[in-house]
Amino acid sequence: MVRSNHLEETDPAVYAAVQDERRRQEESLGLIASENHVSEAVLEAQGSVLTNKYAEGYPGSRYYGGCEHADTVEQLAIDRAKELFDAEHANVQPHSGTQANMGVYFAMLDPGDRILSLDLTHGGHLSHGHDVNFSGQLYDIEQYGVDPDSGYINYESVAEHATEFDPDLVVSGASAYPREFDYERIHEIASDVDAYHLADIAHVTGLIAAGVHTNPISNADFVTASTHKTIRAGRGGLILTSDEFSEQIDKSIFPGSQGGPLMHNIAGKAVGFQEALTPEFTEYAKQVVANAETLATTFSEHGLSLVSGGTDKHYVLADLRDSHPNVTGSDAEEYLQNVGITVNKNTVPGETRSPFTTSGIRVGTPSLTTRGFTQSEMETVGHAIVDVIEHPEDQDVIEDVSSLVDRLCEEYPIYD
Ligand SMILES: *Cc1c(COP(=O)(O)O)cnc(C)c1O
């Protein structure tokens, strides 16, 4: 349990909210694909005195005095990131995955330049060119999609888009595409039109770090990552690149688009990367995928349609339109919330409802796998999810699933 007597005394309102949040995490089953639980060691690093330090610049070349320990921490984070991803250069300062993407765009593109990326309703990310995001406002965006029948990316069609649109940068990577990207193919497509290739691995950072998924590093000019999804290094972003672009990238982050680095967060990244270098983490990442496969099988057995028919990753994307035409993604999210199961509604390819309603749910396994869940528990959870979606008003079902959730949460605590 994370206790802080100082906080309790100084600010009881914030203390109470933190404790309530801790309880919420402990007492519900979190299946949001982008969330995880960091170790106590990462929490300590993030809650450390490093938050007091200004360290504009990079290790060995700072604009402030007294940076020797900040240098040690940042260099550890950099060295471990390079080792994990076999990269020539790592910038660990981006405050988030979105800032990492911004760093690459600002380094390599001018306003009005062209970006080719995956459509948001097919699983892309806001920072890949959505019109409500800076990326869609500053750049000329063209998007590729998935084949409506197979749910897979059609690389022939990506190549055609590239030939017609002549992009300056092609983005691979997604927030809700359950299959691995063919980075080599995207790299060829980008090279053929003289465009850079940015592989945004935000969701699969941990799977790639563990070697469970293919590392795009040799097939991309830039790799951007988040540090809080499938890898447990606390909230933040990361950019990996070759020596060729290292200076441009570093300048683009500081002073280009950020001020002082969040040294406490960088300490969290260093610790989380160290944890990810262990054999235990490789086992964890394998289990994350095995658990998602079990969810896919369980949902399919109950007749739910899955985008692309299954998953290679840490989540499944269930399209409810065929099996439960009257249940929207937001209905399902709400029914499950009521029994202590947290998922998120998600658009599906060919979406017919608004992004606030949606026809699908994204169900992810990183958090529960951190708690110790294996295939048998995931199967039980998968059955329970379908039961609730099918019988949202049935008091017996609600009570049964609620007590199942209580039992599992007690059996698999997050923090002792
Ligand atoms: C989560 C995500 C990001 C980063 O998100 P932040 O919330 O800004 O850290 C970037 N790209 C993709 C594809 C993502 O899924």
Side-chain angles (χ1 to χ4, degrees):
M1 193 180 297
V2 187
R3 289 199 184 283
S4 165
N5 297 331
H6 298 291
L7 181 57
E8 185 176 11
E9 280 163 26
T10 305
D11 193 334
V14 168
Y15 175 78
V18 172
Q19 293 305 308
D20 286 347
E21 172 59 13
R22 186 193 56 75
R23 216 168 291 120
R24 187 194 67 79
Q25 291 183 20
E26 290 280 0
E27 295 175 3
S28 61
L29 296 181
L31 289 116
I32 293 184
S34 51
E35 292 182 0
N36 213 324
H37 306 289
V38 299
S39 68
E40 304 259 20
V42 171
L43 284 181
E44 274 177 35
Q46 287 198 319
S48 70
V49 294
L50 284 161
T51 197
N52 298 334
K53 188 69 197 106
Y54 244 111
E56 286 180 351
Y58 289 97
S61 155
R62 304 283 192 183
Y63 290 84
Y64 289 83
C67 287
E68 56 273 27
H69 308 300
D71 279 3
T72 303
V73 166
E74 185 166 350
Q75 196 58 53
L76 284 168
I78 290 169
D79 292 343
R80 291 167 183 174
K82 285 162 67 172
E83 186 178 348
L84 273 177
F85 298 98
D86 208 10
E88 286 176 8
H89 184 75
N91 186 308
V92 298
Q93 292 192 4
H95 303 328
S96 71
T98 297
Q99 296 286 126
N101 286 339
M102 182 188 266
V104 173
Y105 300 157
F106 282 9
M108 310 316 295
L109 303 176
D110 291 317
D113 278 357
R114 292 181 295 277
I115 298 177
L116 176 63
S117 61
L118 178 63
D119 192 321
L120 186 76
T121 64
H122 291 208
H125 190 256
L126 287 166
S127 63
H128 295 177
H130 197 278
D131 53 15
V132 298
N133 183 265
F134 79 93
S135 54
Q137 292 155 6
L138 281 184
Y139 305 107
D140 184 5
I141 307 292
E142 170 86 7
Q143 303 207 291
Y144 56 90
V146 301
D147 182 280
D149 295 325
S150 70
Y152 279 78
I153 287 166
N154 176 343
Y155 291 94
E156 288 301 316
S157 142
V158 180
E160 281 164 26
H161 268 84
T163 309
E164 274 170 36
F165 183 59
D166 191 21
D168 300 290
L169 182 137
V170 180
V171 184
S172 60
S175 304
Y177 175 66
R179 298 299 178 175
E180 264 203 269
F181 267 79
D182 186 343
Y183 298 112
E184 199 175 336
R185 190 72 212 280
I186 295 273
H187 196 51
E188 273 169 23
I189 292 169
S191 303
D192 284 348
V193 295
D194 251 341
Y196 296 114
H197 174 204
L198 162 60
D200 177 347
I201 63 165
H203 256 276
V204 288
T205 313
L207 305 184
I208 291 170
V212 171
H213 271 205
T214 307
N215 185 350
I217 195 79
S218 55
N219 278 304
D221 302 293
F222 310 97
V223 176
T224 52
S226 69
T227 53
H228 49 268
K229 293 180 181 174
T230 45
I231 197 165
R232 298 173 296 203
R235 311 202 71 76
L238 168 71
I239 304 176
L240 305 161
T241 189
S242 56
D243 288 333
E244 182 185 356
F245 300 115
S246 58
E247 247 177 74
Q248 276 157 288
I249 288 297
D250 284 354
K251 276 193 191 145
S252 178
I253 290 296
F254 176 83
S257 56
Q258 292 189 172
L262 309 179
M263 286 313 309
H264 56 303
N265 262 29
I266 291 174
K269 290 174 189 177
V271 176
F273 294 162
Q274 171 76 352
E275 291 172 355
L277 283 161
T278 61
E280 289 77 19
F281 187 80
T282 305
E283 289 312 307
Y284 163 74
K286 285 183 187 159
Q287 190 65 54
V288 164
V289 175
N291 284 351
E293 282 167 356
T294 299
L295 261 189
T297 311
T298 310
F299 285 172
S300 298
E301 280 167 8
H302 281 282
L304 297 197
S305 302
L306 304 178
V307 173
S308 83
T311 184
D312 301 329
K313 287 190 177 157
H314 53 296
Y315 56 80
V316 300
L317 202 54
D319 181 343
L320 301 171
R321 286 177 299 188
D322 287 341
S323 55
H324 302 84
N326 299 320
V327 182
T328 67
S330 68
D331 291 337
E333 182 185 300
E334 189 187 320
Y335 299 155
L336 291 164
Q337 193 59 60
N338 291 338
V339 295
I341 296 176
T342 316
V343 304
N344 64 279
K345 61 178 181 254
N346 216 101
T347 54
V348 290
E351 183 58 76
T352 40
R353 295 185 172 110
S354 89
F356 296 104
T357 312
T358 81
S359 303
I361 50 171
R362 192 181 62 169
V363 188
T365 57
S367 300
L368 292 187
T369 310
T370 293
R371 295 181 81 147
F373 281 47
T374 59
Q375 288 94 323
S376 66
E377 294 86 5
M378 279 321 297
E379 195 182 330
T380 307
V381 171
H383 286 302
I385 287 173
V386 179
D387 228 10
V388 170
I389 290 174
E390 284 180 351
H391 309 284
E393 318 256 289
D394 186 327
Q395 283 311 313
D396 289 342
V397 170
I398 293 172
E399 271 170 41
D400 281 356
V401 174
S402 298
S403 54
L404 170 75
V405 169
D406 290 345
R407 184 171 65 71
L408 287 170
C409 288
E410 226 163 278
E411 199 176 334
Y412 297 97
I414 305 165
Y415 298 111
D416 335 290

